[in-house]
């Protein structure tokens, strides 16, 4: 693989700290959700960041494969849900649900585009076989 870009962030304080990108464009306060024992203080968490990254990446892949087929997916939306919980043997695992809507595109075409995007998207390729990923086409 030829690397085209490398993102770099530094985190201090774990889930109760801060994340900052090397270029300064991303600076976020991190906070553990109440559901996981957090205080409820304002802040994001790794699961929200992963959900945002996956959704943005998947939508770009979707628009790419749609454009190649002369289909307009510019008004598509992706709702990404990332769940975290304990797994057998200790530790924690993730699962992902992507809800995809492509207005103006019939359901069969939307399903084909979503499956093709799932083959192109780097997040999908990274998670494939590692965590459950469910794709829900809502056309």
């Amino acid at each position: 693989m030829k690397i085209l870009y490398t993102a770099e962030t530094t985190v201090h304080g774990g889930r109760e700290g801060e994340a900052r990108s090397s270029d300064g464009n991303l600076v976020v306060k991190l906070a553990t959700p109440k559901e996981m024992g957090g205080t409820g203080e304002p802040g994001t968490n790794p699961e929200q960041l992963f959900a945002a990254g996956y959704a943005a990446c998947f939508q770009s892949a979707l628009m790419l494969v749609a454009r190649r087929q002369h289909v307009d997916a510019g008004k598509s939306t992706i709702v990404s849900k990332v769940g975290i919980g304990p797994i057998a043997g200790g530790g924690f695992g993730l699962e992902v649900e992507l809800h995809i809507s492509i207005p103006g595109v019939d359901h069969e075409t939307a399903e084909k585009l979503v499956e093709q995007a799932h083959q192109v998207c780097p997040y999908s390729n990274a998670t494939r076989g590692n965590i459950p990923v469910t794709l829900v086409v809502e056309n």
Side-chain angles (χ1 to χ4, degrees), residues 28-130:
V28 292
K29 179 183 178 340
L30 301 170
T32 303
K34 277 184 131 177
E35 297 86 346
M36 293 178 60
T39 64
E41 290 292 319
T44 191
N45 59 65
E47 294 72 37
Q48 288 175 333
L49 294 169
F50 187 76
Y54 202 154
C57 189
F58 195 91
Q59 188 173 32
S60 291
L62 177 65
M63 291 190 301
L64 172 73
V65 298
R67 186 171 48 252
R68 288 179 179 166
Q69 296 179 38
H70 309 288
V71 175
D72 182 7
K75 293 182 180 176
S76 61
T77 57
I78 312 291
V79 175
S80 178
K81 300 178 180 185
V82 174
I84 183 172
I87 57 175
F92 290 84
L94 299 174
E95 68 177 27
V96 175
E97 259 187 40
L98 298 179
H99 294 257
I100 303 105
S101 173
I102 314 170
V105 175
D106 66 89
H107 187 78
E108 183 180 336
T109 300
E111 282 188 333
K112 288 178 183 175
L113 291 171
V114 164
E115 186 50 44
Q116 291 169 359
H118 193 44
Q119 299 307 309
V120 172
C121 175
Y123 277 70
S124 292
N125 289 331
T127 59
R128 188 171 292 109
N130 296 309

Side-chain angles (χ1 to χ4, degrees), residues 19-34:
R20 180 181 299 268
S21 63
S22 59
D23 62 7
N25 288 325
L26 176 73
V27 179
V28 292
K29 179 183 178 340
L30 301 170
T32 303
K34 277 184 131 177

